Amino acid sequence: MAFGWIDEQARLRRSAGLVRTLRPRPAESPLLDLASNDYLGLARHPEVTGGAARAARIWGGGATGSRLVTGTTELHAELERELADFCGFEAALVFSSGYAANLAAVTALAPHGSLIVSDAGNHASLIDGCRLARATTQVVAHADPDAVRKALDTWDGGPAVAVSDTVFSVDGDAAPLAALAEVCREHGAGLVVDDAHGLGVLGSGGRGAPHAAGLAGADDVVVTLTLSKSLGSQGGAVLGPARVIDHLVNAARTFIFDTGLAPAAAGAALAALTLLRREPERAARAREVAGELHARLTAAGLEAVRPDAAVVSVRAPSPEGALRWAADCRSAGLAVGCFRPPSVPDGISRLRLTARADLTQGQIERAVRVIGETRP
C-alpha cells in the first residue's frame, strides 16, 4: 500500500515519545510567552504592525513573483540597504525566510570541488545547505576553532568555507567568531555565519554577533540572518561583500526560483529596524533578562546553561519528562519551548526559554516559580 510505511514510523515515534503536534494559538493568549523568538517584543509593537499594514496597502498582499521577475520592489531594496548599513556590511539580499537564506549562502558559496567545515551544533537549515551543496562536508566538534583548523590543514583541494551559527539555538551559547575568522584567514577560507539569534541582541545596539566580534564588513565573512526573531517580522537575508551578493543573485536557487518576500513582512522589518536604531537599549535588556532567568533558575536548583544571548536552556531528565514538563508549564499559564531528539544532536532534552526584552520583573519571577514547581 502506498505510504504504508508511514504507519510504522508513527508507531516508533509514539513509543519513543517524539510525536510532534500543531497547536494553533488564538490572537490573544492568557499564557506568559517564553516560547517564541520575539526577543525584543516587537512582533505586536504598533510601529511594526503599522509598517506591515502600510506596506500591504501600498504594494499588495504578495510580491507577485520571483525577485528577478516582479518580486523586487523599492521596499525590498530599501530594506536591503538598511540591513547592510545597520549591521555594517557592504550589501544585503533579502529572502522569503531565514531557512532559504541559509540554503542559498551555503550552496552558492560551496561549489563542486570545495570543502565545507560545519559545526556539529549547527541549525538544520545550515545542515541542509551542506547536504544540498556539491562540496565535500566535514562536520567538526562544536565551537572548536582547533577542529576547524585541523580540517582545513588536511584539505588540499579547491575553495573552502567554514559554516557556523553565531548563537546556537539549543543552548544559547555563542561561537568563538574571532578565533574562527582567524583560522579561516590562515587557510584562505571563507566564513559563513548564521546570526539568527544574535541580531537585535548582541553587538552595539543589537547590530549582531559579527559586529561585536569586529567582523562586520570583512571581505571574507558572509552573514545570514532572519527577520522573524528580534525584528518581529518574517523573512531572511544574506549580508556580505557586494560581489558575494551579486553572485547569489545569479547562482542561489532559493533566490532565483522563489517568490519574493511579502511586502507586509518587509515593511514590518523596516519599521522594527527603525525602532531598534531609536531604542538600542532593547538589546541590552534582552541580555539582562536572560542573565536573571539563568541566575534564578540555577538558584532554584535547576540545571540551566549560562546564556550568551537571549536563549536560556534548562535540562530535562528525558524526552518524555521534557514533554510533560512543558505541558505542565502550559497548564500553569506559561508557554516554554521543548527540545527533544532528534532536534538536539547530543540527545539531551531541554526546555528552551526566550528572554524577551519586554518581560517585567513580575513575569520573570512568575516564570521561574512555575518552572520550579512543575519540574519532573
Side-chain angles (χ1 to χ4, degrees), residues 2 6 13 16 27 29 40 72 92 138 187 191 216 226 242 279 296 300 308 316-317 323 325 353 369:
I6 290 177
R13 280 194 293 270
S29 173
L40 303 184
T72 296
Q138 186 168 341
H187 296 81
L191 177 62
T226 181
E279 300 177 5
R296 287 177 174 270
D308 287 328
L323 196 63
W325 197 358
L353 315 180
R369 184 178 67 253

Side-chain angles (χ1 to χ4, degrees), residues 216-265:
D219 61 6
D220 55 357
V221 175
V222 172
V223 175
T224 66
L225 49 81
T226 181
L227 312 178
S228 65
K229 293 181 171 59
S230 287
L231 299 185
S233 181
Q234 189 168 350
V238 180
L239 283 61
R243 63 180 180 143
V244 169
I245 300 305
D246 288 342
H247 174 69
L248 294 182
V249 169
N250 287 278
R253 294 173 66 84
T254 55
F255 179 83
I256 297 169
F257 298 106
D258 193 18
T259 298
L261 181 67

